[in-house]
Amino acid sequence: MPHFPKPAEGSWTEHYPELGTAPVNYEDSIDPAFYEKERAAIFRRSWLNVGRVERIPRPGNYFTKELAAAGTSVIIVRGTDNKVRAFHNLCRHRGNKLVWNDYPGEETSGTCRQFTCKYHGWRFDLTGKLTFVQQEGEFFDLDKEKFGLKEIACEVWEGFIFINLDPQQPLTEYLGDMIRGLEGYPFHEMTQVYSYRAEIGSNWKLFIDAFAEFYHAPVLHQRQAVKEEADKLFNYGFEALHYKLDGPHSMVSSWGGMSPPKDLKMVKPIERVLRSGLFGPWDRPDIEGLQKLPPSVNPSGHRAWGVDSYIIFPNFMILIWAPGWYLTYHYWPTSVNKHIFEASLYFVPPRNARERLAQDLAAATFKEYALQDANTLEATQTMIAARAVTEFPLNDQEILLRHLHKTARDRVKEYEDAAAR
């Protein structure tokens, strides 16, 4: 899909005529039947990011991931051959969940040489091969080669681990040109991680909507800035630097030149002391890969660029910040009106206490902003579900929302059409 710079007149949305400009129907966020179709058409057929390779740096390291939307639990493990693999988290004997601790529904992680079922003691090596059966002689012509763990397609791109329960295309093809245009960004250098997780009482797409536009920022977040600056932003409003759609994925590029601000009076005293805030630590890390950014970063080349937000369909976002750090969001549906929201901030490891405190402040400030965004969602879900109104007008700054809901509907229709043939 070609990119068009926004002209003096016209809009970003009008450059993608397939989106239309009419109000958008939000039945896809409240209809239980549609959610069930999404589970089959989207979450069981798309590439899903489940984490980064830093979580399993050595052979034998593993973690589990609960995928309610896909109806399964998975094990991600690094083998003795250093390869990252994914398996359904079930024993091939009687289907017991294989890897769990005190509570079967909770995710876990650790290190092992093999996986042993708690129920009857069957063992599987790190490649999924069945290596031991308790009282093997009691079985009838049991061929252990046929009863290894059920493997899931798993690929690693730029250190991000993706899985797919029913792949329709290779990962790199699925990601497309825009996302592949991030290759070379020094994700691997940013291993200081702050993570947050919460259950949110809204449809998964509604929270993506909240982070896919900055139109709300001057209103919802006005108390996070000093009053004079907040009033200026409120009166001016917001307009992004750049938007782009590429297949099912999309991005928005925004200004954000407050790292550091031109005038220290623009920010709060603690931000002045620690030289940090919402946009991250003000002092750029001295690492390779930040001097010349990949082509998909700051695609407009704007001098006021501050952050790029990329939606990797269906439920993964990467935000790359100008000061030299990045942020990820995951939205894991558990029902039509609930999902698990996960956020992780990634920094270059601090060299001293001052740098650590600057990162701590950025992480705490982000959490406050995220809580403000999440605070509106349950109310939104409740009122949309009342169905007094189901269609809502979206402006030009909400093009990524329009694209997300259309993509979800299109994927469901394609799946239904294929099943009907």
Side-chain angles (χ1 to χ4, degrees):
M1 185 176 292
H3 154 63
F4 302 92
K6 186 174 181 178
E9 296 181 358
S11 74
W12 294 99
T13 307
E14 290 169 345
H15 284 307
Y16 299 94
E18 68 276 12
L19 295 180
T21 56
V24 172
N25 191 311
Y26 268 65
E27 286 277 353
D28 64 359
S29 299
I30 58 177
D31 181 6
F34 187 83
Y35 170 67
E36 291 302 318
K37 294 174 182 178
E38 285 182 329
R39 294 180 66 192
I42 296 175
F43 286 92
R44 292 192 65 86
R45 291 162 63 91
S46 300
W47 286 98
L48 306 174
N49 175 252
V50 292
R52 281 197 54 83
V53 293
E54 287 87 3
R55 287 199 66 185
I56 47 173
R58 292 178 293 278
N61 292 164
Y62 69 85
F63 64 89
T64 64
K65 191 71 188 172
E66 299 298 307
L67 302 178
T72 192
S73 171
V74 302
I75 306 167
I76 311 297
V77 60
R78 185 180 292 275
T80 55
D81 58 357
N82 220 34
K83 182 177 180 180
V84 177
R85 295 179 175 87
F87 302 98
H88 285 278
N89 189 9
L90 86 163
C91 177
R92 291 297 304 276
H93 174 217
R94 295 240 303 270
N96 187 54
K97 178 170 277 190
L98 183 62
V99 180
W100 55 283
N101 289 334
D102 295 333
Y103 302 98
E106 292 186 357
E107 296 174 355
T108 187
S109 62
T111 303
C112 68
R113 295 182 180 179
Q114 61 185 356
F115 299 112
T116 302
C117 182
K118 299 175 186 293
Y119 203 179
H120 297 98
W122 282 34
R123 301 174 195 163
F124 304 85
D125 70 15
L126 302 181
T127 67
K129 182 179 179 180
L130 175 60
T131 58
F132 175 79
V133 173
Q134 183 74 15
Q135 294 179 257
E136 185 175 346
E138 295 287 335
F139 289 84
F140 304 94
D141 301 318
L142 180 68
D143 183 355
K144 292 203 294 291
E145 292 293 327
K146 296 180 180 178
F147 291 93
L149 297 181
K150 189 72 172 178
E151 192 161 3
I152 298 169
C154 179
E155 296 188 31
V156 177
W157 170 82
E158 293 295 293
F160 294 98
I161 304 169
F162 287 82
I163 65 167
N164 194 320
L165 299 174
D166 184 14
Q168 308 299 301
Q169 59 191 141
L171 174 62
T172 53
E173 182 180 328
Y174 178 79
L175 293 176
D177 292 339
M178 181 181 71
I179 302 302
R180 290 200 306 269
L182 300 178
E183 292 173 359
Y185 187 80
F187 297 109
H188 65 286
E189 297 275 11
M190 301 173 189
T191 57
Q192 181 74 15
V193 185
Y194 297 76
S195 295
Y196 302 100
R197 187 175 191 269
E199 183 178 40
I200 306 296
S202 80
N203 183 269
W204 62 283
K205 295 185 295 297
L206 293 186
F207 207 158
I208 297 180
D209 286 353
F211 280 152
E213 53 86 6
F214 298 109
Y215 172 58
H216 70 273
V219 180
L220 185 62
H221 302 310
Q222 59 181 301
R223 292 186 179 180
Q224 290 303 113
V226 295
K227 186 178 186 307
E228 183 179 350
E229 293 303 316
D231 289 344
K232 287 180 184 177
L233 188 57
F234 183 87
N235 292 325
Y236 177 77
F238 174 84
E239 184 168 336
L241 302 175
H242 189 86
Y243 294 96
K244 186 173 183 179
L245 313 181
D246 184 16
H249 317 302
S250 58
M251 71 86 65
V252 53
S253 187
S254 173
W255 53 268
M258 294 180 68
S259 289
K262 294 180 179 179
D263 182 354
L264 291 180
K265 295 179 181 179
M266 296 170 64
V267 297
K268 297 178 179 180
I270 191 172
E271 295 175 300
R272 300 173 208 162
V273 173
L274 295 182
R275 296 182 56 79
S276 183
L278 176 64
F279 301 111
W282 298 351
D283 300 313
R284 273 63 168 171
D286 183 18
I287 58 171
E288 291 186 15
L290 292 179
Q291 291 77 21
K292 184 178 181 181
L293 295 171
S296 285
V297 179
N298 185 17
S300 66
H302 202 287
R303 60 182 178 80
W305 170 68
V307 59
D308 288 345
S309 301
Y310 305 85
I311 301 176
I312 301 178
F313 187 82
N315 69 325
F316 179 44
M317 290 181 70
I318 301 175
L319 284 73
I320 293 179
W321 293 81
W325 64 286
Y326 77 99
L327 172 64
T328 64
Y329 300 140
H330 292 85
Y331 312 83
W332 297 106
T334 54
S335 71
V336 66
N337 59 6
K338 283 187 171 65
H339 72 277
I340 301 297
F341 170 65
E342 297 172 340
S344 295
L345 296 80
Y346 295 82
F347 302 98
V348 172
R351 297 170 297 179
N352 51 52
R354 187 189 63 77
E355 290 184 357
R356 174 61 186 267
L357 288 172
Q359 294 176 0
D360 286 350
L361 178 60
T365 306
F366 158 78
K367 185 178 180 180
E368 177 62 25
Y369 271 79
L371 286 171
Q372 291 173 9
D373 284 293
N375 189 46
T376 68
L377 297 177
E378 294 189 9
T380 300
Q381 184 73 42
T382 301
M383 294 314 300
I384 292 176
R387 288 184 167 83
V389 176
T390 55
E391 293 189 343
F392 299 90
L394 300 182
N395 69 28
D396 201 34
Q397 302 297 314
E398 297 166 309
I399 180 175
L400 270 60
L401 286 63
R402 190 180 294 275
H403 176 254
L404 171 66
H405 289 266
K406 182 180 187 303
T407 299
R409 292 193 299 270
D410 288 350
R411 288 296 170 101
V412 167
K413 187 177 187 305
E414 290 168 7
Y415 180 78
E416 291 181 317
D417 290 346
R421 286 198 289 268

